Amino acid sequence: MTIENTLPKLQPWMLQESERLSCAQELAVLVRRETVRLAGIAKSGHFTSVFSCAEIFAALYSGILRISADPTWKDRDRFLLSKGHAAPGLYPLLSAMGYFPAEWLDTYAHLGSHLGDHPDMRKVPGIDFSSGSLGHNLSVGLGMAMGLRLQASDARVVVLLGDQELNEGQQWEAVQGASHFRTSNLVAVVDRNGMGLDGDTEEVMAVEPIDERFQAFGWRTIRIDGHDLDALFSAFDRLDREPTGQPTCIIADTIKGKGVQFMERDKSWHVGYLAPADEVQVLNEIGF
């Protein structure tokens, strides 16, 4: 695969509020484009799982997350990618932040590479916790949020969940604990694309009504279109304008495979590999 790797130099902490939207629009294209490229390197990729959260990634790294050029800065917001198979969409953003050389991307999922199919916090700067086995990171995020509070830090912990992860009992233990301990610095973002590896979530194991379930455990919930960047920015802005003392769940309604028509809502593209002609079509469609 021969796509020139032209990553921007990303400095979200320097963006003015008026610049966030245009930056995020460019990053959403970058996330999709680089996912196609990395899948070509690995000869396999989780296209649709990344495409559904491309705008979420883009918004987070266009000023929502309080981060710096130093991935170990103690006052940074923490971001946990619980749906770790979407890592190919996150790695290019971390590289654009300067956390590791762009050349690492060219080794994606190869033997000895820092960048695996799921992220490893021991190998990848900017990864705050590893993922692989689904359903664990909300519990870890709760522990981080409580630890930050003990340190009198105003940093926030954001955990991106896949919707089918909500089948895990451990998730609901974390949800219950977060409201009990009033961890208002914890934000769960559910990528509600409606599908998992086995098909529609509501047929495999229903998770709706997600907002009412979180509310029943004492969380504040905000439901938005997860591909609407303005809505994503507004949801996070509300957390500062309207503090409630509660943890917050943002349910981002998305489309699995968003941006590529033949992949949208097609479970067969949960994992796949593009033939050369299909690759050209996909890149044209996402705006490469």
Side-chain angles (χ1 to χ4, degrees):
M1 187 165 186
T2 57
I3 299 177
E4 185 181 359
N5 184 13
T6 54
L7 293 177
K9 185 176 182 181
L10 187 55
Q11 297 178 312
W13 58 92
M14 298 182 65
L15 288 174
Q16 301 296 318
E17 188 170 334
S18 60
E19 300 172 313
R20 297 188 307 180
L21 181 60
S22 60
C23 178
Q25 289 169 337
E26 293 177 10
L27 291 185
V29 174
L30 172 72
V31 166
R32 291 185 172 94
R33 183 197 81 195
E34 283 292 286
T35 295
V36 173
R37 192 175 79 86
L38 296 190
I41 291 169
K43 307 304 181 188
S44 178
H46 290 89
F47 295 99
T48 56
S49 296
V50 178
F51 292 175
S52 67
C53 63
E55 281 74 23
I56 299 171
F57 280 150
L60 289 172
Y61 285 87
S62 295
I64 286 176
L65 292 175
R66 186 179 68 181
I67 48 182
S68 77
D70 178 6
T72 65
W73 178 43
K74 70 180 182 65
D75 292 323
R76 73 190 183 280
D77 286 345
R78 273 61 170 178
F79 175 58
L80 280 65
L81 179 61
S82 194
K83 49 173 288 181
H85 49 292
L90 178 58
Y91 291 149
L93 299 182
L94 299 180
S95 182
M97 291 283 298
Y99 291 167
F100 56 80
E103 289 75 20
W104 284 17
L105 297 170
D106 299 331
T107 69
Y108 168 67
H110 283 207
L111 185 64
S113 175
H114 295 270
L115 308 180
D117 193 35
H118 289 253
D120 186 334
M121 63 186 290
R122 300 167 300 175
K123 296 179 179 179
V124 187
I127 296 296
D128 286 311
F129 196 76
S130 307
S131 52
S133 297
L134 299 179
H136 295 171
N137 277 22
L138 188 59
S139 296
V140 174
L142 170 58
M144 286 184 175
M146 294 175 69
L148 288 166
R149 188 169 62 187
L150 286 173
Q151 298 170 29
S153 171
D154 62 353
R156 180 181 288 156
V157 181
V158 179
V159 184
L160 179 57
L161 306 170
D163 49 5
Q164 202 157 37
E165 283 189 274
L166 298 180
N167 294 340
E168 298 275 0
Q170 183 172 330
Q171 299 280 29
W172 296 102
E173 292 181 49
V175 170
Q176 178 172 284
S179 60
H180 175 78
F181 293 110
R182 300 190 65 77
T183 48
S184 57
N185 56 341
L186 178 64
V187 182
V189 182
V190 178
D191 179 8
R192 181 63 174 124
N193 61 34
M195 297 187 73
L197 177 62
D198 298 321
D200 293 345
T201 58
E202 297 309 285
E203 294 179 5
V204 175
M205 179 67 72
V207 296
E208 292 289 359
I210 298 174
D211 45 3
E212 292 179 17
R213 293 184 183 195
F214 272 84
Q215 288 165 11
F217 278 95
W219 286 53
R220 170 173 56 176
T221 60
I222 302 171
R223 193 153 199 160
I224 60 171
D225 177 348
H227 299 299
D228 184 333
L229 289 165
D230 279 322
L232 283 160
F233 285 122
S234 295
F236 276 90
D237 289 344
R238 279 183 60 185
L239 305 187
D240 296 320
R241 289 196 315 269
E242 306 168 9
T244 64
Q246 300 168 282
T248 299
C249 178
I250 297 173
I251 301 131
D253 290 308
T254 62
I255 296 171
K256 198 170 178 77
K258 174 69 173 178
V260 178
Q261 189 171 4
F262 70 81
M263 289 184 178
E264 290 187 359
R265 304 189 192 282
D266 185 343
K267 71 175 183 179
S268 65
W269 279 103
H270 181 82
V271 181
Y273 176 65
L274 288 164
D278 292 328
E279 178 188 300
V280 171
Q281 179 183 339
V282 167
L283 290 173
N284 286 336
E285 205 167 335
I286 64 180
F288 172 68

